[in-house]
Amino acid sequence: MRLATVPQGLVGWHCRAPRPAAKRPGRRRCPTCQPRALCVPGSGLHQPQPSPTAAGDEAARGLAVEKFDIVKKWGINTYKLLAERFGRGSRTVDLELETQIDLLRDTKRKYECVLQLARALAHHFYSLVQTQHALGDTFSDLSQKSPELQEEFGCNAEMQKLLCKNGETLLGAVNFFVSSINTLVNKTMEDTLLTVKQYEAARLEYDAYRTDLEELSLGPRDASTLSRLDAAQSHFQSHREKYERLRADVAVKLKFLEENKIKVMHKQLLLFHGAVSAYFAGNQQQLAQTLRRFHVQLKAPGTEKPSWLEEP
């Protein structure tokens, strides 16, 4: 048997023992210190490493402080609302005023529906008037180009012109109705509801300070409690005055709003009924008289391109 020759440089390479790793001077584990502590030889100083439990407690405390700051930013209104829901505080209720406020909100929703439908009516009626306008022009043109049907086309052209003229008058009345309802809903009622929101916010603050004052009054009377009690009494009194002032403002605005609503709607409903009935009855004089009665001004001539009805 022949043995394979091995290169001279590789003889004995696999028989050499690995060299021991050199020890690095410096820090080493100290058996007398905490499990994760390091010590410097010859210095007598030990450097402790924070344990996972301590780090977790610190993070939990930081998270709690952050959440507490967020809760503080909610303000007194949120605090009072939560207190009412969990039974900690009581709610001040003015039954008569709350009933009127609920009625106002319901009335506003219904009037918004009327306003939306009236706008849709004005839009569709405007399209009808424009269609009658185009149809009258077409009949008039055909009456000139069709001698054998000139009289028939001419009669229909005159009829469409008359309908379009009355339609423009009725459209003016409908637009005036829409404008008045829009002012009543989106300005007058909205202004009153803005005061209502301020009143409700003041009521929450008043109840919050009242609850705090009641709790302090039932607690022990020491030096610190007496100072807090005086501060709570001062806050309670100032917010009570604010609440009562806004409650009076809401009552006055609700009264004036009801009177204004009746006055405006009485006029607008009579105008709407008179104009619509006169238009569909074909009574042009009554339609014009209705607009004059309620001082409805149509667009003055010259403000836009003259209507085809005014062309000679």
Side-chain angles (χ1 to χ4, degrees):
M1 179 185 299
R2 297 182 59 186
L3 297 177
T5 60
V6 180
Q8 183 178 1
L10 297 180
V11 174
W13 70 270
H14 57 283
C15 299
R16 297 174 184 175
R19 294 181 179 179
K23 296 184 179 180
R24 298 176 58 185
R27 297 179 177 180
R28 63 181 178 82
R29 294 290 179 183
C30 180
T32 61
C33 298
Q34 296 179 0
R36 294 182 59 84
L38 298 175
C39 86
V40 181
S43 64
L45 299 177
H46 306 285
Q47 181 180 359
Q49 296 291 331
S51 63
T53 305
D57 292 342
E58 184 178 356
R61 284 195 298 269
L63 183 60
V65 171
E66 182 181 357
K67 289 185 177 180
F68 180 73
D69 292 338
I70 295 175
V71 171
K72 285 170 59 180
K73 291 180 181 178
W74 285 357
I76 194 68
N77 291 348
T78 307
Y79 157 75
K80 180 60 185 72
L81 186 60
L82 293 175
E84 286 182 359
R85 290 186 176 180
F86 289 102
R88 182 174 176 270
S90 59
R91 182 176 185 268
T92 301
V93 179
D94 188 332
L95 292 178
E96 182 179 358
L97 192 61
E98 294 291 338
T99 302
Q100 294 178 2
I101 292 173
D102 292 340
L103 181 61
L104 171 59
R105 290 193 170 109
D106 183 65
T107 301
K108 185 174 183 292
R109 285 192 294 268
K110 293 179 180 178
Y111 275 51
E112 286 173 343
C113 181
V114 172
L115 178 60
Q116 182 180 4
L117 294 174
R119 282 174 172 167
L121 175 63
H123 175 74
H124 294 313
F125 200 78
Y126 174 80
S127 300
L128 173 63
V129 171
Q130 294 300 109
T131 303
Q132 290 174 336
H133 183 179
L135 188 60
D137 285 344
T138 303
F139 283 155
S140 179
D141 182 64
L142 287 173
S143 67
Q144 298 176 6
K145 296 180 179 179
S146 303
E148 65 279 4
L149 296 174
Q150 182 176 8
E151 182 178 357
E152 289 80 358
F153 277 126
C155 292
N156 281 278
E158 292 297 325
M159 176 59 66
Q160 292 301 319
K161 288 181 180 181
L162 180 61
L163 290 175
C164 188
K165 183 177 181 180
N166 292 339
E168 289 180 345
T169 305
L170 176 60
L171 188 60
V174 174
N175 287 333
F176 185 75
F177 178 82
V178 169
S179 176
S180 300
I181 301 299
N182 180 66
T183 302
L184 178 63
V185 172
N186 294 321
K187 292 185 179 180
T188 310
M189 290 185 178
E190 190 63 30
D191 177 72
T192 303
L193 287 176
L194 179 61
T195 307
V196 168
K197 292 179 181 178
Q198 296 174 354
Y199 156 75
E200 291 175 343
R203 198 274 305 169
L204 282 171
E205 294 177 353
Y206 164 70
D207 284 345
Y209 286 106
R210 177 178 56 81
T211 302
D212 291 342
L213 180 60
E214 292 174 354
E215 291 179 353
L216 289 174
S217 300
L218 297 176
R221 300 297 180 91
D222 52 15
S224 61
T225 305
L226 289 177
S227 62
R228 293 173 57 194
L229 186 61
D230 293 339
Q233 181 68 37
S234 176
H235 289 306
F236 165 75
Q237 189 63 31
S238 62
H239 285 83
R240 179 181 180 181
E241 293 174 357
K242 178 181 178 182
Y243 162 72
E244 291 178 349
R245 182 179 70 253
L246 286 172
R247 181 177 62 179
D249 291 345
V250 170
V252 171
K253 285 196 172 185
L254 286 174
K255 178 181 178 181
F256 285 139
L257 174 62
E258 184 66 20
E259 294 175 355
N260 185 43
K261 182 192 70 174
I262 294 175
K263 180 180 179 181
V264 170
M265 293 307 300
H266 176 75
K267 174 181 178 180
Q268 295 303 318
L269 291 174
L270 288 178
L271 166 66
F272 191 81
H273 176 268
V276 172
S277 60
Y279 171 81
F280 284 101
N283 194 333
Q284 183 180 2
Q285 294 181 353
Q286 183 180 354
L287 179 60
Q289 183 180 0
T290 301
L291 267 66
R292 288 194 301 268
R293 175 187 173 187
F294 292 99
H295 309 286
V296 178
Q297 299 291 335
L298 300 178
K299 291 184 178 180
T303 56
E304 59 181 6
K305 184 178 178 180
S307 172
W308 63 280
L309 297 173
E310 302 173 359
E311 296 177 359

